[in-house]
Structure formats: structure tokens, C-alpha cells
Amino acid sequence: MSLIVEEAADRVVWRLDRPEVRNAIDRELVAALHEACAAVEEEPRVVLLTGEGPAFAAGADIAQLRERRRDDALRGINSKIFDRIHRLPMPTIALIDGYALGGGAELAYACDFRIGTPSARIGNPETDLGIIAAAGAAWRLAELVGEPLAKEILLAGRVLTADEARAVHLLNDVVEPADLLAAGHRLADRIAARAPLATRLTKAVFHAPRGAHPFVDDVAQAILFETEEKRTRMTAFLERRRERNS
């Protein structure tokens, strides 16, 4: 089993479980991630994604990657699963301890949040192997950290330390290894405390193409205006304010 799935009512933890190869992403793991995505697409929950052992994910499985040819690249084996993770209905949180390189970094970039430990190292060394970062980094990384730094990572092989990644907001937080999973759950608690449908639609609107605005914003709001949860939460807010002012 290359992926351990731990389910709860409002969240699910995915553990990459190939510690003997630093959780390198192979076809079996990709298949397991597709299956896990299908489950949270059917029953939307927050996803916490972490790696077993001394690394988050030290890239794609190079032994498999070396044998892939043109048609394999055109199938987008890794890019499709990372895009699917990026599009999951509820927020996703990558928990990074140790290396997140190559495909491992691209998996982290696909998530909505990233929390690391002091030993986190994030980068894309693909050009050193004669290929490009073709599973999202070549365009997603600039959106996350800006063009100059993204080019330094992609074209010159710079690997960010945890403090550097935190300084450019690629990591939302840096915590000690013993607190990493708990930090992820604390963030998941904050997300889960909010209205689930409002959270889902906010994420969808956030990632909608620029030309779709403001129409998609208005449609999402129209849906939410008709929900009982909106009325219940607003009524509770007004009652709390009245009590404070009485």
C-alpha cells in the first residue's frame, strides 16, 4: 500500500507511504491518489497530506521516469493527478517535513496551504535531469512566489529552506516535527468551523478564470443566500451582538 488514508467526518489524512524511497511518486501512488480524490469528491472534506519517514516526497520515481517516452509525457500522468488535487472541493493542506522536490514540490504547490518543519526543503531540480517541471511548477510556482524567485528555482536549481519558503509565503507556517500533524489539524479545525458550502464556493470562485468574474461570484452568492445555514449563522451573529450591547 503506497497511500494510507485516515478518514473522519469533516477531514481526511493522506499519508504517502513509500519511506524507503522518500515517498517518490510512482504509478501505484498516482493510482491511489486518484482513488482517494474520488472519495472526497463524492463526500467533500478537508484533506491533510503528509509523508511517512524522512521526507514529504523527494520527487517522481526516477527509475520509472527514465523509461517514460513521448506518449507517457502526453498522458500527463502526474500533471493530471496534481490538477485533480488542486480542484478538490474543500481546502487541502500539505504537511512538509524534509524534502519536497520535483514532483513532490509540485504536489505541495497543488495544495491550498503548506505547513513545514525547519528541515523542509522545497525545489525543482528537473532541468538537472534533462526534463522540465511539467506537473504544474512551470506555471503555478510563479503565481505562488513571483516570477523572479520562480525562475531561480526552476532554471538555476535553487532549493528553498523552510525559513526562506515561509518568508515568501510558500509555507503558511513552520513548526517543529512533533507538532506538524497537530498544526495541520488546527488549521483544518478553523476551516471546518466555517460554513462548508460557503467554503467550497469560495474556493471555486477564487480559482475561476478571470473572465468569469463577477458573474460566478454573483451566482455563488445567490446559491448561498437561499441556504438555511446562512440564515442560521447570521441570526446567531445578530443575537451575539445584541447580547454584547445589552
Side-chain angles (χ1 to χ4, degrees):
M1 181 181 297
S2 57
L3 183 70
I4 299 171
V5 177
E6 301 169 358
E7 301 194 45
D10 60 1
R11 70 197 65 179
V12 58
V13 178
W14 296 347
R15 296 180 181 271
L16 309 179
D17 191 29
R18 304 187 73 220
E20 70 283 357
V21 289
R22 294 185 176 181
N23 299 316
I25 300 167
D26 65 354
R27 286 180 181 269
E28 181 185 353
L29 181 53
V30 168
L33 286 168
H34 274 296
E35 184 176 341
C37 282
V40 294
E41 288 163 349
E42 180 71 21
E43 185 182 347
R45 285 161 289 170
V46 176
V47 173
L48 290 83
L49 178 57
T50 189
E52 292 290 281
F56 175 72
D61 190 305
I62 301 301
Q64 285 190 6
L65 198 59
R66 184 183 61 180
E67 303 306 318
R68 292 182 186 175
R69 304 301 295 271
R70 177 192 61 195
D71 290 346
D72 294 307
L74 292 174
R75 276 193 286 270
I77 294 168
N78 285 359
S79 61
K80 285 180 179 176
I81 184 56
F82 297 163
D83 189 58
R84 189 174 185 180
I85 290 169
H86 181 69
R87 294 175 183 276
L88 287 175
M90 289 291 281
T92 53
I93 306 167
L95 305 175
I96 303 170
D97 187 24
Y99 287 110
L101 298 176
E106 291 179 301
L107 174 57
Y109 303 156
C111 292
D112 297 298
F113 302 97
R114 286 158 295 278
I115 300 173
T117 70
S119 68
R121 298 293 182 271
I122 305 172
N124 289 94
E126 281 88 346
T127 54
D128 194 42
L129 297 171
I131 59 174
I132 72 168
W139 55 273
R140 187 172 282 142
L141 186 55
E143 296 177 353
L144 293 170
V145 302
E147 182 177 324
L149 181 55
K151 284 182 174 177
E152 191 173 354
I153 294 167
L154 294 166
L155 302 178
R158 179 173 175 179
V159 175
L160 298 182
T161 66
D163 287 342
E164 290 170 336
R166 180 70 180 89
V168 296
H169 305 291
L170 185 59
L171 290 177
N172 297 91
D173 200 3
V174 176
V175 300
E176 291 303 316
D179 192 39
L180 183 59
L181 184 59
H185 278 297
R186 289 194 295 271
L187 179 53
D189 288 342
R190 289 163 53 194
I191 296 167
R194 311 179 82 79
L197 183 57
T199 299
R200 289 179 60 183
L201 291 179
T202 298
K203 179 175 176 178
V205 168
F206 186 94
H207 289 297
R210 186 169 183 83
H213 302 288
F215 178 72
V216 294
D217 309 59
D218 295 338
V219 170
Q221 193 76 297
I223 293 169
L224 292 167
F225 274 9
E226 296 299 316
T227 62
E228 184 59 32
E229 184 154 25
K230 170 248 189 180
R231 177 171 292 276
T232 299
R233 284 175 176 261
M234 288 190 176
T235 299
F237 172 85
L238 293 171
E239 289 177 350
R240 288 194 301 269
R241 188 171 67 180
R242 185 166 55 249
E243 289 173 0
R244 288 196 302 267
N245 293 336
S246 61

